[in-house]
Amino acid sequence: MTLAPATSHSSRRRHDREIIALAVPAFGALVAEPLFVLVDSAIVGHLGTPQLAGLGVAAALLTTAVSIFVFLAYATTAAVARRVGAGDLASAIRQGMDGIWLALLLGVAVIAVTLPSASWLVGIFGASDTAAPYATTYLRISSLGIPAMLIVMAATGVLRGLQDTRTPLYVAIGGFAANGALNVGLVYGAGLGIAGSAWGTVIAQFGMAAAYLIVVVRGARRHGASLRPDATGIRASAQAGVPLLVRTLSLRAVLMIATAVAARLGDTDIAAHQIILSLWSLMAFALDAIAIAGQAIIGRYLGANDTQGAREACRRMVQWGITSGVVLGALIVLARPLFIPLFTRDGAVQDTLIPALLVVALSQPIAGVVFVLDGVLMGAGDGRYLAWAMLITLTVFAPVALLVPTIGGGLTALWWAMALMMTVRMVTLWLRTRSGKWIVTGATR
């Protein structure tokens, strides 16, 4: 990858310090996020199986509704980082406020759709007659927290753009602790059942949003940035987010197709697939932390018109991605006798799981490159290319995956198709990075 001439030892150390300083706290914050649902599941699970099943359906709907708006974090990070690099902190925070206002508007729109259609949405997911009422209750109450969740996304992007990933970590830890305490108090202390769990999560989410807003508002006042909504800025933030929305939806389509194919293979295969997908998601957190560092660092270098620094940082992060992928792949292979029994003791599921898991291990270095280059191009504001690249990837993956039940090979063949998907992503991202067309300097792209 011809990104930059070989860098000096001191330059590599400088980039390493930047990557570690941003990636480690980002990883902690990423891991804390799914723990919200885990805590809710542990507390609600003691109420009964129908309540837990209802939570599972509602949580899946909420996760889908919120995850498609992840561009609020990604696009805001890149835009803010560019202005930080250009030395215009007031404009950087103003850009961040536009993203936060957009998050609030989108959150209100999602509530307007979710509240009246909650029962219908739960029915689409096939909830049983006993679980459906609990799912509907949890979904209706929890949907009230969606504006807070989206504000947290956008504000996280603001702070990442400002090269601050520690504050999001602290807020995530505080939110996790508050969520657990509120859930216990409202579910059991107040006797509200699953509704108490939903209200506890909503309160915790608004608390996190308030904490972020306090930090951002203080920064705005310090640098003289306006806090008022600006229609032009909000519209620009939405336009910047559209390509990343297309990218995210395409990636979600890949995962949905993979799960649908696994389900067609049989109960044993879908059980093993869910285990692998859980591990794959966990490893993605580690690699995504480097990508988040890439978004912030690359945006800052390009904003400062430092193309050499951007190229060097990109090269170094790719090396980090490959190394991390190799380490994660080796851990999967070496630790499989330890963690597989934690998920299942069914011999048939284990026999199906192991060969597919080895494919995942082999593909981790590829995943490392993909996550890093994805973050680099996001940091450069190259969302349009990322959207087209992911659509191409989906076009290649879908027919191959859908043929798996016909051609045979079972779950292992499906995960070879997933490895192909990651390889296509790597090639498309590598070609773009190698071309240098992503390097557009200045406070705005």
Side-chain angles (χ1 to χ4, degrees), residues 40 196 248 254 359:
D40 288 4
T248 300
V254 165
V359 175

Side-chain angles (χ1 to χ4, degrees), residues 318-339:
V318 168
Q319 293 170 349
W320 270 79
I322 294 172
T323 302
S324 299
V326 170
V327 171
L328 289 172
L331 283 174
I332 292 172
V333 174
L334 296 175
R336 69 185 189 280
L338 300 176
F339 65 76

Side-chain angles (χ1 to χ4, degrees), residues 163-190:
Q163 317 295 298
D164 176 10
T165 56
R166 289 183 179 272
T167 299
L169 173 60
Y170 299 148
V171 174
I173 292 172
F176 170 70
N179 180 61
L182 286 166
N183 269 257
V184 171
L186 294 175
V187 171
Y188 298 115

Side-chain angles (χ1 to χ4, degrees), residues 17-305:
R17 285 195 298 269
E18 284 186 329
I19 294 167
I20 291 171
L22 291 172
V24 172
F27 175 71
L30 288 170
V31 170
E33 290 172 9
L35 291 178
F36 271 75
V37 176
L38 187 63
V39 168
D40 288 4
S41 300
I43 293 171
V44 171
H46 291 286
L47 295 175
T49 300
Q51 289 91 332
L52 184 59
L55 171 64
V57 171
L61 285 163
L62 286 165
T63 300
T64 301
V66 173
S67 64
I68 63 175
F69 297 115
V70 72
F71 69 84
L72 288 167
Y74 294 160
T76 304
T77 297
V80 171
R82 274 185 175 271
R83 287 162 174 78
V84 169
D88 189 354
L89 289 177
S91 178
I93 296 174
R94 174 65 261 177
Q95 178 72 36
M97 285 305 305
D98 291 336
I100 290 173
W101 280 112
L102 175 62
L104 179 60
L105 293 174
L106 290 172
V108 171
V110 174
I111 289 178
V113 172
T114 305
L115 279 179
S117 61
S119 296
W120 177 74
L121 290 169
V122 167
I124 286 178
F125 266 60
S128 67
D129 290 340
T130 55
Y134 296 111
T136 302
T137 296
Y138 191 92
L139 181 60
R140 281 178 173 156
I141 296 172
S142 291
S143 67
L144 300 176
I146 288 177
M149 287 194 254
L150 298 188
I151 288 172
V152 166
M153 273 191 184
T156 299
V158 176
L159 295 183
R160 288 173 180 170
L162 294 171
Q163 317 295 298
D164 176 10
T165 56
R166 289 183 179 272
T167 299
L169 173 60
Y170 299 148
V171 174
I173 292 172
F176 170 70
N179 180 61
L182 286 166
N183 269 257
V184 171
L186 294 175
V187 171
Y188 298 115
L192 296 180
I194 195 169
S197 176
W199 280 118
T201 301
V202 168
I203 294 169
Q205 287 161 349
F206 271 101
M208 292 173 66
Y212 274 117
L213 289 175
I214 289 170
V215 174
V216 174
V217 168
R218 283 178 178 172
R221 288 175 175 169
R222 186 182 310 120
H223 298 287
S226 173
L227 297 172
R228 294 180 179 179
D230 176 67
T232 302
I234 294 171
R235 186 165 54 250
S237 293
Q239 290 172 345
V242 169
L244 294 180
L245 175 62
V246 172
R247 167 202 168 273
T248 300
L249 290 174
S250 300
L251 181 57
R252 296 290 299 183
V254 165
L255 299 177
M256 289 174 65
I257 290 170
T259 300
V261 170
R264 290 177 61 188
L265 296 174
D267 290 347
T268 299
D269 292 83
I270 187 62
H273 176 74
Q274 287 303 116
I275 294 171
I276 295 176
L277 202 58
S278 297
L279 292 168
W280 193 72
S281 299
L282 180 61
M283 291 181 290
F285 285 136
L287 298 176
D288 203 27
I290 304 174
I292 287 169
Q295 294 170 29
I297 293 170
I298 294 298
R300 191 188 78 235
Y301 276 122
L302 293 179
N305 298 313

